[in-house]
Amino acid sequence: MADEIDEYFDFALDLVKSAGNLIKEYVNGIKDFKVKSCDIDLVTEVDQKVEAALIEGLSKKFPSHKFIGEESVADGAKAGLTDEPTWIIDPVDGTLNFVHGYPNSCISLGLTINKESVVGIIYNPILDQLFTAKKGKGAFCNGRQIHVSQVKEMSKAIVSFEAGTSRDEERQVACLNNFKFLITKSQGVRTLGSAALNMAMVALGGSDAYFEFGIHAWDIAAGDILVREAGGVCIDPSGGEFDILSRRVLCASSIELAQELAKGLHQLYPERD
Ligand code: IPD
């Protein structure tokens, strides 16, 4: 199995790096975009091209593998997860940033086998940051091994979260309550505009926790294994077990910090993927 995972990883990494060139062409932003579920949920031609390039390359090399891609699902494909090797793709995570030329966008590619993330690649071609992880082999940033911080208490933690790409009122109320909780109890609050990069910062030890309600499997599949291989934890924001299709995530440098955060969060249960 380890040899197969190495083969999958090496092949996918080359594809991701080359697809990154499509993003690099627009370091100053991109004017043309379409709206999806609402006016702050955007898609560009680059999102579609990157996803198509990854699916084409991977499916030629590994014909039996399955795919869950953000833009394919937006076009009507089903986000069903089976035990088969499944590539979970966010071609541009942080599309709103990308449109504006705010340099926090990345390709996020995860591979699950038996529904568990075994490979994670998060690549921000604009800032040249490449985060990688393979099951049991550690987490890396640009080839250097990375570890989560030692932080175990909220009062010493930088915590990131996102308001997400929906203007749903219930979500706004949850966000405001959670923001109040964070500015009262944590040392600092961040919001990067990309779920995958928020998770990469936890893996790197730059921030200590990240949570979000309403994300999708493609936003977090790669980040899940990256954080765990860096020594951190990925759980449900209620304190229970992580479920990749639940549209809920909380990752942290330690289980103590994760549980302290979970206890104080205003919970939200969006419809599952
Ligand atoms: C979004 C980003 C954003 C998060 C949203 C995601 P997209 O992904 O990760 O930070 O708040 O929940 O949908 O749409 O840019 O791929």
Side-chain angles (χ1 to χ4, degrees), residues 65-216:
H65 288 191
K66 309 277 183 258
F67 295 90
I68 297 176
E70 176 175 17
E71 306 316 333
S72 316
V73 171
D75 286 343
K78 212 178 151 354
L81 186 63
T82 66
D83 287 343
E84 299 300 311
T86 304
W87 295 95
I88 305 186
I89 306 168
D90 192 336
V92 182
D93 184 49
T95 302
L96 187 60
N97 285 344
F98 177 59
V99 164
H100 283 256
Y102 186 92
N104 280 354
S105 309
C106 61
I107 298 174
S108 174
L109 179 65
L111 173 67
T112 60
I113 299 181
N114 297 324
K115 302 193 183 78
E116 182 200 4
S117 286
V118 294
V119 162
I121 300 173
I122 295 174
Y123 180 40
N124 177 345
I126 298 163
L127 299 182
D128 204 18
Q129 287 178 320
L130 174 67
F131 297 92
T132 56
K134 277 186 276 185
K135 188 181 174 181
K137 299 278 178 63
F140 296 82
C141 175
N142 293 344
R144 178 178 63 87
Q145 188 157 13
I146 55 174
H147 301 281
V148 294
S149 74
Q150 301 292 313
V151 171
K152 291 191 167 61
E153 299 153 51
M154 258 191 89
S155 60
K156 298 195 172 117
I158 286 187
V159 181
S160 63
F161 84 119
E162 297 287 333
T165 50
S166 147
R167 294 198 194 269
D168 174 71
E169 226 179 289
E170 205 191 336
R171 180 139 27 143
Q172 289 178 346
V173 170
C175 276
L176 289 173
N177 287 338
N178 286 332
F179 188 55
K180 177 143 196 234
F181 169 54
L182 294 185
I183 58 174
T184 314
K185 299 280 183 198
S186 74
Q187 198 173 42
V189 187
R190 301 288 182 269
T191 168
L192 303 181
S194 153
L197 290 175
N198 278 307
M199 295 180 89
M201 284 307 117
V202 174
L204 185 72
S207 73
D208 308 296
Y210 156 71
F211 68 88
E212 188 169 344
F213 301 100
I215 35 77
H216 294 274

Side-chain angles (χ1 to χ4, degrees), residues 7 27 37-38 40 64 103 110 126 140 201 205 211 229 253 261 268:
E7 187 196 354
V27 282
S37 60
C38 75
I40 52 171
S64 65
I126 298 163
F140 296 82
M201 284 307 117
F211 68 88
E229 286 294 326
S253 51
L261 200 45
L268 198 70

